[in-house]
Amino acid sequence: MARKVNSAGIKLVQTFEGLKLEAYTCPAGIWTIGYGHTKGVKKGDKITDAEAEKILAQDLAQCGEQIEKCVNVPLNDNQFAALASFVFNVGIGSLTASSLLRRLNHGDYDCVPSELSKWVKASNPKTGKKVTLAGLVKRRAAEGELWLETDSGDAFLNSQDMPQQVHADDSRTIYRVAARSGLRVRSGASTSYDVIKVLPLDTQVYVIREKEGWAAIDTEGDGALDGWVAMDFLRVHQT
């Protein structure tokens, strides 16, 4: 039986999609009806509240099935729901081709909120240019918050009180340099930037963020940016 999206995920989708019982064009110029349903929708279509709920359930079930096929790590209910909302909005093709999925499948759960926040642009149907939409910014933030919200019921994990002893996160994914002749570290994310230093083969680093095939790296594990390297020459460190 397919895994169901929890109530928090359903509410998130309903909130951001809104309910329209008559077909309309979304900001990207696509005919839409109900809670963001687009497949087969045409001008003049009308549905009832009950039909909108049924269609939403079917659409989310499909998103869930698609997620289960491509995500190879365990997800709690809120994490699953956050991805379902994302896929509902951008499509499964965007997820499967994303650095979000690649990093998540390598065990980097913490990257997801920041990876989600990249997906905030839509093509203006009048100009064809990609522009940032405020609604997408808010939706990605809400999905990121849902991703981080524990659903374990553990009183300690759910506590809002601030502990007086805090530890650094040592669970980040470690990468290693795979370039046999060494990997050039540059001051920016392209070959036009100066080389700061060269990291020997198998040097371990942390990736802070990615940009167009380049990775901002932390070589000391202190969270500070130490430069940029080509992502193609990094591999997840196998312990």
Side-chain angles (χ1 to χ4, degrees):
M1 184 176 179
R3 183 174 180 178
K4 292 184 177 181
V5 175
N6 66 11
S7 59
I10 294 172
K11 183 178 180 180
L12 192 156
V13 172
Q14 289 176 326
T15 297
F16 284 97
E17 294 293 347
L19 175 60
K20 299 287 182 65
L21 300 180
E22 295 186 17
Y24 67 99
T25 53
C26 75
I30 299 171
W31 282 104
T32 309
I33 201 168
Y35 293 105
H37 180 72
T38 59
K39 186 176 181 180
V41 180
K42 60 185 182 301
K43 184 178 180 180
D45 284 351
K46 296 181 180 181
I47 58 174
T48 65
D49 285 343
E51 288 172 330
E53 295 287 344
K54 182 178 180 180
I55 293 170
L56 175 61
Q58 293 171 341
D59 287 346
L60 286 175
Q62 182 180 42
C63 291
E65 291 174 358
Q66 293 169 333
I67 290 168
E68 289 190 306
K69 289 179 180 178
C70 65
V71 174
N72 301 325
V73 294
L75 300 175
N76 67 35
D77 287 345
N78 283 340
Q79 291 169 338
F80 184 77
L83 287 188
S85 172
F86 177 67
V87 170
F88 185 97
N89 182 217
V90 306
I92 190 62
S94 295
L95 176 63
T96 56
S98 69
S99 55
L100 184 160
L101 181 64
R102 176 171 55 79
R103 295 178 68 183
L104 175 60
N105 279 341
H106 282 149
D108 189 356
Y109 288 82
D110 291 342
C111 80
V112 173
S114 62
E115 288 287 341
L116 287 171
S117 69
K118 298 176 181 179
W119 295 82
V120 294
K121 293 182 180 291
S123 296
N124 186 321
K126 294 181 179 179
T127 64
K129 294 182 178 180
K130 292 181 179 179
V131 294
T132 298
L133 299 185
L136 289 178
V137 173
K138 292 178 181 178
R139 181 169 184 160
R140 297 291 92 87
E143 290 164 350
E145 289 176 4
L146 181 58
W147 176 271
L148 293 173
E149 185 178 331
T150 177
D151 59 0
S152 68
D154 186 305
F156 176 74
L157 294 178
N158 286 316
S159 174
Q160 297 300 307
D161 296 330
M162 291 295 101
Q164 300 308 306
Q165 185 178 24
V166 181
H167 307 285
D169 178 13
D170 58 2
S171 63
R172 293 179 295 169
T173 301
I174 301 174
Y175 291 81
R176 65 175 181 82
V177 172
R180 294 187 178 278
S181 59
L183 182 57
R184 294 181 179 87
V185 180
R186 297 181 181 273
S187 58
S190 84
T191 54
S192 63
Y193 287 91
D194 293 336
V195 175
I196 302 172
K197 57 184 174 181
V198 178
L199 298 177
L201 177 68
D202 289 331
T203 300
Q204 295 181 12
V205 301
Y206 296 99
V207 172
I208 299 174
R209 62 181 182 275
E210 296 177 39
K211 178 182 179 182
E212 299 175 351
W214 290 80
I217 61 167
D218 165 18
T219 59
E220 303 297 328
D222 57 4
L225 173 63
D226 293 310
W228 292 80
V229 299
M231 194 70 194
D232 286 343
F233 297 102
L234 294 179
R235 300 289 183 271
V236 174
H237 178 64
Q238 303 294 330
T239 57

